Amino acid sequence: MSARILVFAGSARRASLNKRLAAVLSASIVAAGGEATLIDLADYEMPLYHGDWEADNGPPEAARRLNALLAQHDGLALASPENNASISALMKNTLDWLSRIDGGATLQGKAALLTAASPGALGGLRGLNHLRDILHTLGVTTLPQTLAVSRAHEAFAEDGSLVNERQRGQVDQLATRLIHLALALKG
Ligand SMILES: Cc1cc2nc3c(=O)[nH]c(=O)nc-3n(C[C@H](O)[C@H](O)[C@H](O)COP(=O)(O)O)c2cc1C
């Protein structure tokens, strides 16, 4: 039995550093024996959550599509940008909409690996604490180990791989741990 992991970044920016990190996570998950589905939130455009909009329309089509995709997976691997010491509005909005479908039932019981990439010295580490709290509230079990790639504008080689060998090893180890956690939670 292999673990199916949905992978995305909390940035839709074309040159997103977190999208690059998400691609690295996806490759490591596959190398570790898991199945990875790498998506771009640019393909899941949702309005900013608003209760009146929801009352008039229900969850947006992109949220229902993403929820259906998530339902086919055992876990999440996230690359989360840090905005003003927290998570990006895109990541929060995506999670908020998912939490409004069947009371967030699809997220419950999933495993998650949290990572971040930032040009800054802390690599987006502070935002991961917020992301962990939010996901725990939604019933997601997160790996205690995280990875924050600092000076991320210098961290990737032309072929998309991480330049730093130690970080490459860390990602591989995290991918293996995520797969184990996802399979354990699946039961
Ligand atoms: C509004 C805003 C706030 C930001 N705040 C932080 C921050 O608190 N910490 C940090 O490391 N980087 C911060 N940044 C820089 C982002 O980490 C950087 O733009 C990063 O490349 C965004 O992720 P992406 O490349 O995946 O799009 C901020 C950027 C913006 C636009």
Side-chain angles (χ1 to χ4, degrees), residues 11 13 15-19 81-86 117-120 123-124 126:
S11 171
R13 197 168 69 88
S16 165
L17 298 166
N18 285 280
K19 279 193 201 175
E82 182 175 278
N83 282 358
N84 297 315
S86 188
S118 163
R126 295 171 301 175

Side-chain angles (χ1 to χ4, degrees), residues 19-180:
K19 279 193 201 175
R20 289 198 217 175
L21 182 55
V24 167
L25 296 176
S26 180
S28 285
I29 289 162
V30 172
E35 292 176 48
T37 307
L38 177 63
I39 61 164
D40 186 338
L41 288 185
D43 297 325
Y44 295 84
E45 209 172 310
M46 303 171 200
L48 188 62
Y49 179 81
H50 189 304
D52 291 344
W53 196 99
E54 183 187 34
D56 290 345
N57 305 287
E61 179 273 336
R64 283 186 273 112
R65 202 159 30 93
L66 182 57
N67 191 65
L69 185 65
L70 177 61
Q72 298 166 23
H73 292 79
D74 310 307
L76 290 162
L78 303 175
S80 186
E82 182 175 278
N83 282 358
N84 297 315
S86 188
I87 67 172
S88 65
L90 177 64
M91 181 67 93
K92 184 66 165 58
N93 195 49
T94 302
L95 293 173
D96 282 349
W97 275 120
L98 288 175
S99 77
R100 297 298 295 169
I101 301 174
D102 301 330
T106 311
L107 281 163
Q108 281 169 32
K110 297 281 189 273
L113 164 63
L114 312 188
T115 70
S118 163
L122 295 178
L125 188 64
R126 295 171 301 175
L128 294 185
N129 293 328
H130 292 187
L131 183 57
R132 183 185 296 111
D133 281 351
I134 293 163
L135 289 172
H136 285 180
T137 302
L138 296 173
V140 175
T141 302
T142 60
L143 275 181
Q145 300 85 1
T146 59
L147 175 69
V149 178
S150 57
R151 301 198 60 77
H153 53 300
E154 298 168 350
F156 298 93
E158 291 251 317
D159 65 0
S161 63
L162 283 164
V163 175
N164 186 301
E165 198 181 328
R166 210 181 101 249
Q167 275 177 345
R168 283 204 300 271
Q170 278 177 299
V171 172
D172 288 343
Q173 197 178 57
L174 289 170
T176 299
R177 286 185 168 157
L178 175 62
I179 289 167
H180 288 161

